[in-house]
Amino acid sequence: MHINRYEKFWIILSSLLLVIFAAAVATSSIAYGVQVPVPEQRVDPRLVATPGNLFGEPGLRELAPGRYEAYILSQAWSFSPREIRIPQGSTVTFYMTSRDVQHGFKLQGTNINMMVLPGQVSKLTATFDKPGTYLFMCHEYCGVGHQSMYGQLIVEG
Amino acid sequence: MMKFARENRLTSWHIGIALTALFIGGAFGPLQKMEHVGINLYPALNNIGIQSYYQGLSLHGVLNALVWTTFFITGFFVFTVSRSWNRELRYPRLNTAALIVMTLGLVSAAVPLLGNKASVLYTFYPPLQADTFFYLGLTLVVVGSWIVGYGLYFTYGAWRKDNPGARTPFIALASLITMVMWQIATLGVAAEILFLIIPWSLGWVEGIDPQLSRTFFWFFGHPLVYFWLLPAYVSWYGMLPKQAGGKLFSEPLARLVFWLFLALSVPVGLHHQFTDPGVPAGWKVLHAVLTFSLFIPSLITAFTVVASLETGARARGGKGLIGWIGKLPWGDPSYAAQNLAMILFVFGGIGGLINASYNVNLAVHNTMWVPGHFHLTLGSAVTLSFFGILYWLLPKLSGRQLWSRKVGLWQAWAWFVGMLLMSNGLHIVGLIFSVPRRSMLGVAPYLQPEWAPFLTEAFIGAMFLAVSGILVYVNVIGTVFFARKLEKPIEMPVAEPLDPTPAPAWLDSWKPWLVGTVALILVAYGPVLFALIRDIASTSPGFKLW
Ligand code: HEM
Ligand SMILES: [Cu+2]
């Protein structure tokens, strides 16, 4: 099969570029500790929010000074809790699940982005060095009230 | 009977239904954008039975992304394949039956959609639960499209018997590869609907596993986008160079590109699920890497198609390094629409590269960036190309001239400008402000004043698109009902290969490519799906939250 000289050059060049791109994505993912939710725990969505279960009392828990766990329950059409306050410099691990349909969680201006599915626990960790108010919004359609499902994380300086 | 009379009639029906669906589905686009800037027309729509933004969005997604595309593409392939062989369908009744099945499916899905009983958007993620007829309808549309494929394969067999050893003409081969890719891809959604959703929606089982459902859906969902795109590629490679007065620059590579899409379209679906909790990171990374390899056939396409168009421009007297571009047939709406579609696809492709990047995806996943991206790809590269195709295909099918070339040109340019504005605004609010997609933003309590300039930009773009959309239908109706009869018959434009040496046999041979495709799918999806099925937890009852 004859391939035009310039075309051959183009194909090699673009393949190389893609390899470089893939390598850049891989190394930066490792270097910056990019994390995505991975299988953490399965739960029964019908029971998970009842007393005594994992999300029976959602909210913020302090593990040690500056280290927190936030259990956030998603349901149509609110997060509970809706508001979380932490001191500047804190590290927070978010645990999330849904007791009804699929929801999403994006913390504005950060890479904290996860799907929240009934039956699964989504987990991500982040450190907050900049004080301010960060909105979190449900980003998966969850019924007619979807647009009102949000909350805020307040990092106090 | 005139040769191809049946094929023409079938294609006309497919396209007529596709255009009707797009008319209704498309109308919600501008309404959504108006809502985002505070012009809420949905209360008025209550009078015609549209009860919410989300019912409208479900119609927009299902009718545009699933119905307009599938009906247009299957109809287009009936046309391209038979013309490419200059041979009528082997079993025209089979293809008629296919169209009937698809149409029954459409009706069955449309009734609950219009009755607000299936406001689950076009991804219908469980445990949101629509009326069972919605799922049955989608299944019938898919099954009907399979039957269209069988009709084409039988015709292929008959052609092959009469032409042993001949190379399958490019247009026929590319159309068939796309059809086969679709049949493999739709196995995912068929499994989701038949094994998980329908038993659950009928109440035979109590619960469903949302993570497993999503994984089946995206097995289908990514190749779906190539099912939309490849028919446009068939036109860009196989027809457009001819329309520009040129030849297909490297025909063997064009074939290779389609085979690569067959092999690589499916085993990348997890790149839609980077943020899913139930899928291990290693598999996400594998799919991310495979996704990058999927850019190679598109980059080859960029070169080959531009080089082919250049042969046309130079034959028409074009000179200089870039001066030849002016000699392309910009005055031909069919050409202009498709060339503008390609330009928008460049931006769409760059955005796709970003979406696929494991790390950057986290910044944009499920934000308004995403509709910004796919209105450039699906909404432009594909849809605007299909409009361009219609500008010769409608005259061909109706025997009448295009009603107005000028209106066609205005349509294409208005789409181009409108889409640039809309997608730019959507990309920015998604990336910078994390504005979620699929949200009735105008009444959202989290709406922020800083978003306004970009939402307004997108709104202005949407108004251009609305005008452009109306111009499409003006021209369609004008052509079919009012235009003058054609002076001389039109044929499908077929670009000759620049180099007449036939492509090597391995580029016209199904077995190695099919084996490779199945092997790749097994490697990339086998273990993930196996684990999810082994650990299935059908714990989610259905919800109707609209
Ligand atoms: C008239 C021009 C159009 C405008 C102004 C428009 C506008 C929009 C907007 C603003 C959204 C986002 C809504 C939201 O996330 O809340 C959207 C979603 C969407 N659009 Fe369009 N659109 C147009 C045409 C099209 C076309 C031609 C197609 C495909 C052929 C298309 C396919 C889609 C799809 C698949 C979605 C996603 C629906 C979902 O999230 O479930 N649109 N459109
Ligand atoms: Cu939600």
Side-chain angles (χ1 to χ4, degrees):
Chain A
M1 178 167 82
H2 169 78
I3 302 177
N4 170 286
R5 205 150 48 91
Y6 295 107
E7 185 151 33
K8 209 177 267 172
F9 179 71
W10 166 267
I11 295 172
I12 293 172
L13 187 77
S14 45
S15 309
L16 261 176
L17 270 177
L18 287 171
V19 170
I20 294 172
F21 216 89
V25 168
T27 45
S28 67
S29 300
I30 296 165
Y32 295 106
V34 168
Q35 17 151 21
V36 294
V38 291
E40 164 71 17
Q41 191 176 350
R42 305 287 294 262
V43 291
D44 185 331
R46 294 162 296 189
L47 304 175
V48 70
T50 50
N53 280 301
L54 197 58
F55 286 78
E57 278 176 67
L60 190 71
R61 286 161 215 175
E62 184 166 5
L63 299 177
R67 286 193 44 227
Y68 295 90
E69 283 178 346
Y71 279 81
I72 305 179
L73 176 68
S74 308
Q75 61 219 325
W77 294 293
S78 64
F79 291 109
S80 63
R82 292 160 196 269
E83 192 181 292
I84 297 172
R85 282 174 187 274
I86 49 164
Q88 183 179 359
S90 304
T91 299
V92 184
T93 301
F94 297 90
Y95 291 88
M96 305 203 57
T97 194
S98 162
R99 65 193 285 184
D100 44 44
V101 295
Q102 301 194 15
H103 299 277
F105 182 83
K106 169 100 208 254
L107 195 58
Q108 203 180 25
T110 72
N111 273 353
I112 300 293
N113 190 337
M114 37 190 170
M115 297 306 304
V116 180
L117 306 190
Q120 302 272 352
V121 174
S122 307
K123 172 187 164 191
L124 282 182
T125 301
T127 300
F128 296 89
D129 290 325
K130 270 215 308 257
T133 300
Y134 298 72
L135 287 184
F136 47 87
M137 295 168 273
C138 175
H139 67 40
E140 188 51 84
Y141 169 64
C142 54
V144 281
H146 168 52
Q147 72 282 346
S148 54
M149 183 162 169
Y150 81 117
Q152 52 193 8
L153 173 88
I154 298 166
V155 180
E156 294 172 327
Chain B
M1 200 164 29
M2 211 180 71
K3 194 173 182 191
F4 293 129
R6 289 205 207 85
E7 288 74 11
N8 286 356
R9 205 159 32 195
L10 271 172
T11 302
S12 306
W13 273 101
H14 274 268
I15 288 178
I17 296 171
L19 279 168
T20 309
L22 181 67
F23 186 80
I24 301 169
F28 288 98
L31 291 170
Q32 283 149 205
K33 232 25 263 179
M34 288 164 81
E35 198 283 332
H36 294 176
V37 295
I39 311 168
N40 183 357
L41 296 186
Y42 287 88
L45 290 179
N46 262 324
N47 302 323
I48 55 164
I50 301 301
Q51 296 175 33
S52 73
Y53 178 90
Y54 300 104
Q55 187 189 354
L57 189 57
S58 300
L59 284 159
H60 185 73
V62 171
L63 293 179
N64 291 359
L66 302 179
V67 177
W68 148 249
T69 50
T70 308
F71 276 79
F72 183 94
I73 292 166
T74 46
F76 182 55
F77 282 170
V78 166
F79 185 91
T80 58
V81 168
S82 53
R83 299 309 155 112
S84 186
W85 288 320
N86 194 16
R87 176 178 199 112
E88 294 191 305
L89 291 171
R90 178 79 178 82
Y91 300 117
R93 292 234 174 100
L94 188 62
N95 282 80
T96 309
L99 177 61
I100 293 172
V101 172
M102 287 176 71
T103 309
L104 285 176
L106 172 57
V107 172
S108 166
V111 169
L113 270 173
L114 292 167
N116 197 26
K117 293 202 166 85
S119 300
V120 291
L121 307 191
Y122 83 103
T123 44
F124 53 88
Y125 291 139
L128 285 172
Q129 193 181 60
D131 191 278
T132 306
F133 282 99
F134 172 73
Y135 305 118
L136 280 176
L138 293 184
T139 310
L140 286 182
V141 172
V142 167
V143 169
S145 72
W146 288 351
I147 304 175
V148 175
Y150 304 150
L152 302 182
Y153 306 155
F154 281 123
T155 314
Y156 189 29
W159 174 85
R160 185 43 96 198
K161 220 160 121 203
D162 293 349
N163 298 273
R167 290 285 172 275
T168 316
F170 168 74
I171 291 180
L173 182 74
S175 307
L176 288 170
I177 294 175
T178 308
M179 211 62 208
V180 170
M181 191 267 285
W182 170 248
Q183 302 211 329
I184 297 173
T186 39
L187 294 175
V189 72
E192 182 195 6
I193 294 185
L194 295 178
F195 299 140
L196 302 180
I197 292 185
I198 288 195
W200 162 77
S201 114
L202 288 172
W204 297 346
V205 294
E206 230 173 87
I208 197 164
D209 186 328
Q211 182 67 77
L212 179 59
S213 306
R214 279 175 69 86
T215 312
F216 275 134
F217 183 86
W218 286 112
F219 178 101
F220 151 79
H222 193 76
L224 171 66
V225 313
Y226 287 100
F227 176 64
W228 299 331
L229 185 64
L230 293 187
Y233 276 18
V234 169
S235 172
W236 297 357
Y237 273 114
M239 304 176 185
L240 208 57
K242 167 83 176 178
Q243 290 174 268
K247 296 193 167 172
L248 174 49
F249 187 75
S250 39
E251 204 239 24
L253 275 181
R255 291 167 188 261
L256 176 63
V257 160
F258 277 82
W259 290 118
L260 288 176
F261 277 120
L262 172 68
L264 293 171
S265 288
V266 176
V268 296
L270 290 184
H271 70 214
H272 291 266
Q273 295 177 272
F274 287 157
T275 64
D276 275 27
V279 181
W283 295 103
K284 294 175 180 171
V285 173
L286 174 66
H287 282 230
V289 171
L290 283 169
T291 306
F292 279 109
S293 66
L294 193 44
F295 284 100
I296 292 176
S298 274
L299 284 166
I300 299 179
T301 302
F303 187 97
T304 306
V305 168
V306 172
S308 306
L309 298 179
E310 184 182 346
T311 65
R314 296 215 185 271
R316 295 157 61 95
K319 299 244 154 31
L321 198 59
I322 50 168
W324 56 270
I325 294 171
K327 284 283 188 216
L328 290 167
W330 289 103
D332 170 4
S334 172
Y335 180 85
Q338 296 188 64
N339 200 335
L340 293 174
M342 284 177 200
I343 296 171
L344 291 174
F345 190 55
V346 173
F347 299 112
I350 295 170
L353 209 57
I354 293 173
N355 298 341
S357 304
Y358 195 62
N359 47 356
V360 195
N361 179 275
L362 299 176
V364 296
H365 171 74
N366 261 2
T367 67
M368 274 295 176
W369 167 285
V370 176
H373 165 69
F374 64 63
H375 283 87
L376 288 175
T377 49
L378 167 62
S380 299
V382 174
T383 297
L384 186 52
S385 288
F386 289 1
F387 294 156
I389 291 168
L390 284 178
Y391 290 147
W392 64 260
L393 185 55
L394 278 181
K396 163 80 207 164
L397 293 173
S398 65
R400 293 169 185 270
Q401 295 178 18
L402 185 64
W403 182 71
S404 165
R405 289 166 66 94
K406 205 179 243 168
V407 168
L409 284 173
W410 276 100
Q411 184 278 317
W413 282 99
W415 197 274
F416 181 72
V417 173
M419 211 45 105
L420 279 179
L421 290 172
M422 183 168 95
S423 77
N424 189 52
L426 295 179
H427 274 100
I428 291 178
V429 289
L431 179 66
I432 312 279
F433 303 113
S434 307
V435 175
R437 69 184 280 204
R438 300 181 148 179
S439 177
M440 193 178 179
L441 288 179
V443 295
Y446 51 70
L447 185 74
Q448 287 163 23
E450 302 92 78
W451 306 352
F454 307 101
L455 292 177
T456 307
E457 178 192 9
F459 160 75
I460 296 170
M463 294 302 104
F464 273 89
L465 288 166
V467 172
S468 174
I470 292 168
L471 294 182
V472 172
Y473 287 88
V474 168
N475 229 346
V476 168
I477 292 170
T479 302
V480 175
F481 297 106
F482 302 108
R484 276 177 294 142
K485 291 253 185 297
L486 282 175
E487 278 147 17
K488 54 179 188 303
I490 303 182
E491 285 313 324
M492 177 170 87
V494 180
E496 300 292 322
L498 191 62
D499 174 359
T501 326
W506 60 276
L507 289 175
D508 197 8
S509 159
W510 288 84
K511 212 192 245 150
W513 292 104
L514 282 175
V515 170
T517 303
V518 172
L520 257 179
I521 293 175
L522 286 178
V523 170
Y525 259 118
V528 188
L529 277 175
F530 175 78
L532 281 169
I533 294 170
R534 183 194 57 206
D535 301 337
I536 186 171
S538 302
T539 46
S540 280
F543 290 88
K544 297 188 180 60
L545 296 175
W546 61 86

